Amino acid sequence: MSIFDFCDDFVEYYPSEAVEARAIFSRNIEKYAKSSDIVLSINDHLRNKYSFLNKNIHVIKNGTNYYNFDRKSYKTIDFLERIKSKKKPIIGYSGNINTFRIDFSLLDFLLDQRPNWQYVFIGPAESYFTKRYLKFENVYHVPPVDYQTLPDYIRYFDVAIVPFKINEHTKGNNLLKFHDYLAMGKPIVSTDMGGANDLRDVIRIAQRPSDFLEKVEKALSPDTFRDTLKRKKVALENSWQHRIKELEELIKNSIS
């Protein structure tokens, strides 16, 4: 049995002018999707868009390594301790920082409206971001860190944000970071990109910059224990242990 794991809409990751890159991904997606017994996609948008390649295409969403994030103790990060000592809200993001995913106009709005907040970005960043934003005293960039140590950094976030553009690529997303943040009980504010609506009971989804700002402010209000527990419960339900069971069932049904 052959299984093709179609984990993102990689054709749409590239702008329309990147003809060669888009063509390479398109050819490979068609090749492997058509020749596989099962195709896995991470959301309904991706499944519906590419179902013409293989009728046996199913949604198996991303998950989290739950106990990597929900720990009894975390290591201290000196750099973030210094930021924390300023006693200002820490607004955090982890992941790729690029012009195709990040809505920089939204980031501009937040910086303009709340210059006292501390903004921490963790992950690989395009030069556009570093040149434009690291001149601000309240914007910090941490290069990529190992997945095992990432929770030591995220624990400093008061609010985790996903300030994504809405485009064909992000419609085909189902972010690991949603589940990782939830496993730590972190309040999350996101734009209405792929996968966000599935978690609407535990994350705040914004439709425009002013709405995003308002929801971050609400997320900064003290949490109840019940709120935190609810997020962690949803994360546990979306752990890889549960995803493997879904996949196992799918394979058994296909064999039978």
Side-chain angles (χ1 to χ4, degrees):
M1 173 176 285
S2 57
I3 301 174
F4 174 44
D5 182 17
F6 193 0
C7 62
D8 247 333
D9 197 343
F10 289 111
V11 174
E12 300 296 345
Y13 185 80
Y14 295 92
S16 56
E17 58 266 24
V19 177
E20 185 176 350
R22 290 172 66 97
I24 290 171
F25 274 101
S26 184
R27 285 197 303 271
N28 280 290
I29 288 167
E30 182 174 354
K31 172 185 174 181
Y32 291 110
K34 284 185 173 180
S35 63
S36 296
D37 298 305
I38 301 173
V39 177
L40 305 179
S41 58
I42 56 171
N43 68 16
D44 291 330
H45 174 81
L46 207 59
R47 179 187 60 187
N48 295 338
K49 184 175 180 178
Y50 291 96
S51 61
F52 72 95
L53 293 173
N54 191 321
K55 295 302 179 185
N56 199 25
I57 183 170
H58 302 269
V59 174
I60 299 287
K61 298 174 184 177
N62 275 325
T64 181
N65 184 355
Y66 182 84
Y67 294 106
N68 182 49
F69 290 88
D70 185 17
R71 301 175 181 174
K72 291 182 179 179
S73 62
Y74 300 87
K75 293 181 179 178
T76 298
I77 307 298
D78 292 339
F79 163 69
L80 290 168
E81 284 289 332
R82 291 194 294 272
I83 298 174
K84 183 180 177 181
S85 68
K86 297 182 179 183
K87 301 188 183 304
K88 302 292 185 181
I90 297 177
I91 312 301
Y93 168 86
S94 63
N96 288 309
I97 309 162
N98 55 48
T99 54
F100 198 62
R101 269 188 169 185
I102 300 294
D103 186 345
F104 289 114
S105 64
L106 172 55
L107 180 55
D108 289 340
F109 179 81
L110 294 175
L111 283 164
D112 179 67
Q113 295 295 309
R114 295 295 180 271
N116 62 314
W117 290 353
Q118 307 298 299
Y119 301 86
V120 175
F121 290 81
I122 305 170
E126 289 182 355
S127 59
Y128 175 86
F129 169 82
T130 55
K131 290 178 180 177
R132 180 171 177 177
Y133 292 100
L134 295 190
K135 62 185 179 182
F136 292 97
E137 292 183 353
N138 61 332
V139 178
Y140 310 88
H141 174 238
V142 180
V145 298
D146 184 86
Y147 191 67
Q148 299 300 315
T149 61
L150 182 59
D152 298 326
Y153 291 77
I154 291 176
R155 80 178 182 97
Y156 288 92
F157 295 179
D158 292 307
V159 177
I161 61 169
V162 182
F164 276 18
K165 294 178 178 177
I166 308 302
N167 54 36
E168 273 302 302
H169 175 67
T170 60
K171 287 178 184 177
N173 287 171
N174 184 266
L175 300 178
L176 290 166
K177 62 175 66 59
F178 277 144
H179 308 300
D180 296 343
Y181 295 153
L182 290 171
M184 297 184 73
K186 294 294 178 181
I188 302 169
V189 179
S190 172
T191 55
D192 196 7
M193 43 83 62
N197 194 51
D198 295 336
L199 299 167
R200 60 188 176 277
D201 290 341
V202 286
I203 71 174
R204 292 174 170 88
I205 302 172
Q207 304 296 333
R208 56 191 181 280
S210 58
D211 187 29
F212 200 99
L213 174 62
E214 181 181 332
K215 284 182 165 59
V216 173
E217 288 186 320
K218 287 181 179 178
L220 286 169
S221 300
D223 266 339
T224 65
F225 177 74
R226 183 176 293 180
D227 290 333
T228 303
L229 200 62
K230 184 178 180 180
R231 295 182 196 120
K232 291 189 174 189
K233 183 176 182 291
V234 170
L236 189 58
E237 291 168 354
N238 287 279
S239 65
W240 287 120
Q241 286 88 341
H242 283 77
R243 290 287 181 264
I244 288 298
K245 290 177 183 178
E246 292 176 32
L247 180 57
E248 183 181 34
E249 194 65 27
L250 178 59
I251 292 171
K252 285 180 179 178
N253 290 338
S254 293
I255 290 173
S256 63

